[in-house]
Amino acid sequence: MAVSAEQAWAVVVHDHMNSSPSIAYAIHEVFGLPFERGLELVEDVIEHGRAELTLCAGREQAEELVAHLQVLGLHATLQGR
């Protein structure tokens, strides 16, 4: 099922405090993405100040993902779309 723009919640990381490998590791742990993909997303954070990691159909799911990232020490937020 595709996520429509009206109901989507974005999980965003805005982390400049942690090392690139630490951020990539957290992304790998929470989302199961390869470590190398996590490093690519870190480049977005460095370049643009943020990286959108995923879109969720419901706020609760996005909040859980943000909480997992925060437990791992990242500055992450959710944004309604």
Side-chain angles (χ1 to χ4, degrees), residues 10-15 18 22-33 38 41-42 45 51-54 56 61-78:
V11 175
V12 180
V13 66
H14 322 261
D15 198 295
N18 292 296
S22 295
I23 297 169
Y25 175 78
I27 291 169
H28 167 73
E29 284 295 304
V30 174
F31 295 96
L33 296 174
L41 290 164
V42 170
V45 175
E52 189 172 289
L53 302 180
T54 193
C56 299
Q61 180 186 17
E63 287 175 342
E64 288 178 18
L65 292 169
V66 167
H68 285 136
L69 291 168
Q70 290 172 342
V71 164
L72 293 172
L74 298 188
H75 177 205
T77 61
L78 65 115

